[in-house]
């Protein structure tokens, strides 16, 4: 069986189909999907979905894009939502210097505040980083003592060298549909991730794998990600290893 560790069924593009998507999970070989929040409303939706559907789990947090609008009220809300046993992580949080939709200093502060929040709630973190691996690494190193409940570098696109640093901090490394793209240049990184830290995800409705480019991504396409990674990882059974890792990380 598979676990999709990063699915935005709470995104407005997929939310109307949440029940249908849930019904289709089993046939696609998927046992569970972590519905990841990215702001206040999507976090509430994630928790509601986890509460209503057996296979959905939730994560709550503020995406770096929305750091400018983060408030202490949001953290109080997340603290409340995180009491639900099926709320399994804080995220997605992190830094995005590609879009720069929020001021960089604010992104760093809000990232750090949510690392602290996750630690106080005894939850792992789900980390989004784009064009900011250097700063993300120094923040995470500074908060190494706050990573006792681990976390995952989602949709990893950094170097093999940085990957090893994140692994040394106890974090997991997740790959999604990007591995199927023609221009994906990080197969060496996929090969180098220690088996016990590798995870699969879709990041749906984004990052739709080949051959469904142009359509909204869905959890059911995660098998394409598994198959591509399996080509590069003859040393392990990717499905078995990533299933076990997801259960360990999220305690599900
Ligand atoms: Ni995401």
């Amino acid at each position: 069986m598979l676990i999709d560790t990063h699915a935005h069924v709470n995104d407005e593009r997929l939310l109307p189909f949440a029940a249908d998507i849930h019904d289709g999970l089993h046939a696609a070989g998927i046992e569970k999907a972590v519905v990841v929040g990215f702001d206040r409303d999507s976090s509430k939706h994630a928790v509601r979905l986890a509460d209503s559907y057996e296979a959905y789990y939730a994560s709550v947090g503020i995406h770096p894009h929305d750091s400018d609008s983060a408030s202490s009220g949001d953290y109080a809300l997340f603290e409340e939502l995180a009491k639900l046993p099926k709320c399994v992580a804080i995220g997605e949080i992190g830094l995005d210097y590609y879009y720069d939709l929020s001021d960089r200093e604010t992104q760093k502060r809000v990232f750090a505040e949510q690392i602290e929040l996750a630690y106080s709630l005894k939850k792992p973190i789900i980390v989004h980083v784009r064009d900011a691996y250097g700063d993300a690494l120094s923040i995470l190193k500074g908060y190494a003592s706050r990573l006792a409940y681990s976390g995952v570098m989602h949709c990893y696109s950094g170097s093999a060298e940085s990957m090893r640093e994140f692994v040394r901090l106890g974090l997991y490394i997740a790959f999604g549909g990007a591995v199927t793209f023609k221009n994906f240049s990080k197969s060496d990184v996929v090969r180098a991730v220690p088996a016990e830290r590798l995870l699969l995800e879709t990041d749906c409705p984004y990052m739709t794998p080949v051959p469904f480019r142009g359509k909204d991504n869905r959890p059911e396409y995660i098998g394409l990600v598994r198959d591509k990674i399996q080509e590069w990882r003859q040393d392990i059974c990717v499905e078995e290893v990533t299933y076990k890792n997801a259960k360990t990380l999220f305690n599900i």
Side-chain angles (χ1 to χ4, degrees):
M1 293 297 275
L2 293 156
I3 295 177
D4 186 350
T5 62
H6 198 111
H8 297 294
V9 185
N10 51 349
D11 183 282
E12 58 183 11
R13 281 150 66 179
L14 297 183
L15 197 51
F17 310 106
D20 289 344
I21 292 171
H22 187 265
D23 285 347
L25 290 178
H26 198 82
I30 301 162
E31 187 184 274
K32 304 175 197 305
V34 181
V35 180
V36 179
F38 43 89
D39 62 9
R40 208 180 156 88
D41 283 346
S42 62
S43 295
K44 284 194 213 165
H45 284 310
V47 167
R48 188 177 53 74
L49 290 170
D51 212 18
S52 314
Y53 299 92
E54 193 195 346
Y56 289 151
Y57 290 75
S59 172
V60 297
I62 301 208
H63 195 284
H65 289 345
D66 290 301
S67 299
D68 280 345
S69 69
S71 72
S72 55
D74 294 332
Y75 301 153
L77 171 73
F78 297 156
E79 239 179 286
E80 202 49 41
L81 295 175
K83 286 179 185 159
L84 183 87
K86 287 183 81 188
C87 180
V88 296
I90 297 298
E92 55 191 291
I93 61 177
L95 303 175
D96 193 313
Y97 295 172
Y98 180 79
Y99 287 106
D100 268 335
L101 296 184
S102 283
D103 166 70
R104 290 185 180 183
E105 289 311 309
T106 309
Q107 290 190 42
K108 290 186 205 169
R109 176 177 54 79
V110 172
F111 182 28
E113 287 169 353
Q114 293 184 96
I115 295 171
E116 285 283 11
L117 177 70
Y119 180 71
S120 71
L121 296 170
K122 301 183 163 51
K123 307 271 185 201
I125 51 175
I126 296 176
V127 184
H128 167 108
V129 178
R130 191 152 178 205
D131 287 0
Y133 279 101
D135 279 359
L137 186 57
S138 43
I139 289 173
L140 287 162
K141 276 184 173 166
Y143 283 83
S145 68
R146 295 291 184 261
L147 301 177
Y149 306 98
S150 192
V152 49
M153 302 305 294
H154 123 79
C155 196
Y156 188 73
S157 63
S159 66
E161 199 186 0
S162 304
M163 179 274 290
R164 285 188 194 97
E165 299 268 7
F166 293 120
V167 164
R168 232 170 272 144
L169 287 166
L171 302 172
Y172 289 70
I173 309 291
F175 296 98
V179 301
T180 68
F181 300 173
K182 221 181 178 154
N183 63 358
F184 184 74
S185 59
K186 306 276 177 173
S187 59
D188 61 318
V189 184
V190 178
R191 285 191 176 94
V193 175
E196 67 280 8
R197 296 300 179 78
L198 185 66
L199 290 174
L200 301 181
E201 64 171 41
T202 58
D203 199 17
C204 62
Y206 311 102
M207 307 300 277
T208 310
V210 175
F212 297 110
R213 302 292 297 148
K215 290 177 68 176
D216 278 344
N217 195 5
R218 287 183 170 235
E220 68 206 50
Y221 297 153
I222 197 169
L224 295 161
V225 177
R226 171 203 55 204
D227 292 347
K228 180 47 89 177
I229 293 180
Q230 189 64 66
E231 285 176 25
W232 297 324
R233 294 297 303 248
Q234 303 287 325
D235 57 320
I236 54 174
C237 171
V238 172
E239 175 159 337
E240 206 173 283
V241 158
T242 56
Y243 172 82
K244 193 166 156 260
N245 292 345
K247 290 193 74 150
T248 305
L249 172 62
F250 295 116
N251 197 18
I252 51 180

